[in-house]
């Protein structure tokens, strides 16, 4: 915010319309009405896709996401041959998985998607997950209106609609850029470790699969079948375990509701727009510049707790996928072990960095190996059916503490649950005893 002898962005903005302060340094409000109304009308027409200032317009988000994905390089619609190769890979994956997991095949036909199609197909889920962020707009804009300059206070009511529109447009551009960047990184529908479509569907992105294959010494056909195995197993899990996907998405929504915008970064961007002129192009430019600094860096205690729960669930999902795919592909994919390590290194190196920019969510579950060991131990102790039966209810699923003792969990399940049950039983007995004493008295 400008103070002292620093340039006043509001003054610079008003000078664009030929309006200058009087001898006392203040602006005549009567001079402002006509030019500002005209400017706001022109800007509103330019930003008709930017939303109403109280939320995000998802047409704009989608448009920016598609443009961001397209800027990463050629991404043609998958050819008939590519679609056929993915269908064949998924058919083989289903056949090999049948003997190594208890989850039924999904009914949806496999698909080959371009990056733009991935954006289109997952946009509904992103709307749900990032929608809560727009609730921070009102507070951010209110802060911008709370300026000490007397002339600004006089214009606040007139300027607020324009500021809300600019803020909504900038946030929409930021969200679209984050989603578009993710579209250049993922190789399949639920590559991030949680479901992004309303119904389970196995879809691979040929352009991104080819880029992934360039980082390995395996032929593209082996990479394709390995990634098809992982995605098919994951979608079977989400399809059969109906509570899992909704719970993961609910955790992300809960995390996003606690996000607050970095007021200083937001104000700086708005003031820069004001001093240089508001336009749809500049709105998108500043949305891109806000990447990595839109949200306050400090997480709340509740957010840290939610993030821990989410990372544990993603680790359990990916660890389970590791165990299933290792068993199913051992005889058919010679380089499966190397490809599994490549998948892990890719995640550990921050392949989902765009998710951090999008939701300040650094989702890097560090215990996937521990989870894979736990699922292998449960399979050795109880068989495939027993391992997969653990997913039947949220209360049966391993916790972070269980990952420290995979053999103990394989043999006994939740020790903490057993202890809780014993405590409940003891409390019940104490209450019964107290009730009996009262009756005797």
């Amino acid at each position: 915010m400008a103070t002292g002898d620093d340039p006043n962005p509001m003054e610079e903005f008003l000078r664009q319309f030929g309006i200058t302060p009087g001898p006392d340094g203040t602006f005549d409000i009567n001079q402002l009405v006509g030019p500002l109304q005209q400017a706001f009308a022109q800007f509103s027409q330019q930003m008709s896709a930017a939303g109403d200032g109280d939320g995000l317009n998802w047409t704009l988000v989608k448009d920016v996401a598609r443009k961001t994905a397209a800027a990463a390089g050629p991404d043609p619609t998958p050819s008939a041959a590519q679609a056929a190769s993915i269908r064949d890979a998924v058919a083989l994956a289903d056949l090999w998985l049948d003997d190594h997991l208890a989850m039924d095949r999904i009914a949806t036909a496999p698909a080959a998607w371009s990056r733009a199609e991935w954006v289109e197909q997952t946009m509904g889920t992103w709307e749900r997950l990032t929608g809560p962020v727009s609730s921070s707009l009102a507070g951010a804009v209110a802060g911008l209106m709370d300026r000490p300059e007397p002339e600004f206070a006089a214009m606040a009511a007139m300027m607020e609609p324009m500021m809300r529109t600019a803020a909504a447009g900038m946030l929409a551009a930021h969200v679209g850029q984050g989603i578009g960047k993710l579209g250049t990184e993922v190789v399949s529908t639920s590559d991030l470790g949680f479901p992004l479509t309303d119904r389970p569907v196995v879809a691979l992105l040929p352009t991104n699969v080819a880029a992934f294959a360039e980082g390995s010494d395996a032929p593209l056909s082996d990479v394709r079948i390995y990634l098809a195995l992982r995605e098919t197993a994951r979608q079977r899990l989400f399809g059969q375990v109906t509570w899992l996907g909704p719970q993961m998405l609910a955790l992300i929504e809960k995390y996003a509701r606690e996000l607050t915008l970095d007021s200083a970064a937001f104000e700086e961007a708005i003031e820069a727009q004001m001093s240089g002129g508001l336009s749809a192009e500049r709105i998108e430019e500043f949305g891109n510049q806000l990447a990595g600094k839109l949200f306050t860096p400090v997480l709340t205690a509740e957010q840290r707790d939610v993030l821990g729960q989410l990372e544990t669930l993603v680790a359990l999902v990916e660890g389970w996928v590791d165990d299933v795919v290792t068993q199913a592909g051992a005889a058919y994919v010679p380089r499966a072990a190397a490809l599994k390590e490549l998948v892990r290194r890719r995640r550990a190196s921050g392949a989902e960095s765009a998710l951090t920019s999008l939701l300040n969510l650094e989702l890097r579950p560090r215990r996937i190996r521990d989870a894979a060991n736990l699922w292998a131990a449960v399979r050795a102790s109880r068989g495939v059916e027993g391992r997969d039966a653990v997913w039947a209810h949220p209360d049966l699923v391993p916790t972070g503490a269980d990952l420290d003792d995979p053999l103990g969990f394989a043999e006994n399940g939740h020790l903490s649950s057993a202890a809780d049950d014993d405590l409940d039983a003891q409390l019940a007995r104490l209450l019964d005893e107290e009730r009996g004493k009262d009756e005797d008295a």
Side-chain angles (χ1 to χ4, degrees):
M1 186 176 296
T3 57
D5 296 329
D6 293 337
N8 188 328
M10 174 56 68
E11 184 173 328
E12 294 298 320
F13 176 68
L14 294 174
R15 288 184 187 277
Q16 297 176 52
F17 306 104
I19 301 171
T20 57
D24 60 354
T26 62
F27 293 90
D28 181 359
I29 191 65
N30 295 319
Q31 296 181 32
L32 308 179
V33 176
L36 284 180
Q37 285 179 339
Q38 182 180 2
F40 182 57
Q42 292 173 348
F43 179 66
S44 297
Q45 186 175 6
Q46 278 186 310
M47 292 298 296
S48 58
D52 59 7
D54 294 319
L56 299 185
N57 184 290
W58 290 92
T59 301
L60 176 62
V61 173
K62 188 188 301 183
D63 178 63
V64 173
R66 290 179 63 110
K67 287 197 295 185
T68 302
D75 180 42
T77 299
S79 65
Q82 287 175 317
S85 65
I86 288 175
R87 285 196 300 271
D88 292 343
V90 175
L92 280 176
D94 269 326
L95 185 64
W96 298 345
L97 288 169
D98 282 341
D99 294 331
H100 297 281
L101 79 172
M103 314 300 182
D104 295 332
R105 298 185 181 190
I106 64 172
T108 313
W113 288 345
S114 65
R115 292 165 176 168
E117 286 175 303
W118 181 87
V119 168
E120 292 281 349
Q121 295 291 337
T122 62
M123 188 57 67
T125 301
W126 290 120
E127 182 173 351
R128 170 185 170 184
L129 297 182
T130 62
V133 178
S134 63
S135 64
S136 298
L137 278 177
V141 173
L144 289 173
M145 295 293 103
D146 185 20
R147 297 287 295 268
E149 298 91 338
E151 67 274 19
F152 193 94
M155 296 182 299
M158 188 183 306
M159 293 292 295
E160 188 170 359
M162 184 184 291
M163 293 299 98
R164 285 188 178 278
T165 302
M170 191 163 57
L171 185 57
H174 171 81
V175 170
Q177 287 153 359
I179 295 171
K181 183 66 166 57
L182 280 171
T184 69
E185 297 177 350
V186 297
V187 296
S188 59
T189 319
S190 60
D191 190 26
L192 296 174
F194 52 87
L196 287 172
T197 53
D198 292 336
R199 293 193 306 161
V201 56
V202 178
L204 270 62
L205 285 66
T207 299
N208 294 356
V209 170
F212 179 89
E214 291 176 1
S216 74
D217 58 357
L220 178 59
S221 58
D222 282 5
V223 172
R224 185 188 300 116
I225 185 61
Y226 180 76
L227 295 177
L229 272 168
R230 294 188 68 86
E231 185 62 30
T232 303
R234 203 183 287 117
Q235 291 296 334
R236 284 203 192 188
L237 177 65
F238 291 140
Q240 184 91 11
V241 184
T242 54
W243 62 265
L244 179 58
Q247 180 157 322
M248 298 177 87
L249 297 180
L251 285 171
I252 298 175
E253 280 188 276
K254 186 176 181 180
Y255 177 93
R257 280 196 297 271
E258 293 289 317
L259 285 174
T260 54
L261 300 182
D262 186 332
S263 299
F266 210 66
E267 180 176 348
E268 181 182 349
I270 289 289
E271 289 185 344
Q273 289 184 72
M274 288 167 56
S275 63
L278 290 166
S279 68
E281 293 73 20
R282 286 178 62 78
I283 287 286
E284 190 169 329
E285 176 188 344
F286 279 104
N288 187 41
Q289 291 177 7
L290 278 175
K293 58 181 181 180
L294 177 63
F295 305 109
T296 54
V298 179
L299 300 182
T300 66
E302 185 174 14
Q303 282 179 306
R304 286 193 292 270
D305 178 62
V306 169
L307 182 58
Q309 295 178 54
L310 186 60
E311 286 191 336
T312 297
L313 271 180
V314 172
L316 289 170
V317 169
E318 294 302 297
W320 179 86
V321 169
D322 278 358
D323 184 58
V324 170
V325 171
T326 297
Q327 298 299 308
Y332 305 105
V333 185
R335 294 178 177 83
L339 290 171
K340 179 171 70 175
E341 286 305 310
L342 187 60
V343 168
R344 285 179 173 174
R345 287 199 302 271
R346 173 174 167 266
R347 182 183 288 276
S349 65
E352 296 87 1
S353 57
L355 194 59
T356 306
S357 172
L358 180 62
L359 283 172
N360 203 30
L361 183 62
E362 189 175 347
L363 189 59
R364 297 182 188 176
R366 297 162 178 82
R367 308 202 65 181
I368 293 177
R369 291 180 189 273
D370 295 334
N373 291 335
L374 181 145
W375 291 120
V378 175
R379 172 175 48 79
S381 175
R382 311 181 199 175
V384 167
E385 295 281 347
R387 177 199 63 193
D388 295 349
V390 174
W391 291 107
H393 192 278
D395 291 345
L396 300 177
V397 173
T399 64
D402 293 320
L403 296 178
D404 296 327
D405 183 19
L407 295 178
F409 180 85
E411 292 298 324
N412 305 304
H414 279 304
L415 293 179
S416 57
S417 295
D420 289 343
D421 290 341
D422 289 342
L423 180 61
D424 289 342
Q426 293 174 25
L427 288 172
R429 284 196 297 272
L430 286 172
L431 290 171
D432 287 341
E433 290 172 4
E434 290 299 323
R435 196 176 296 114
K437 291 177 182 177
D438 290 341
E439 291 175 353
D440 292 341

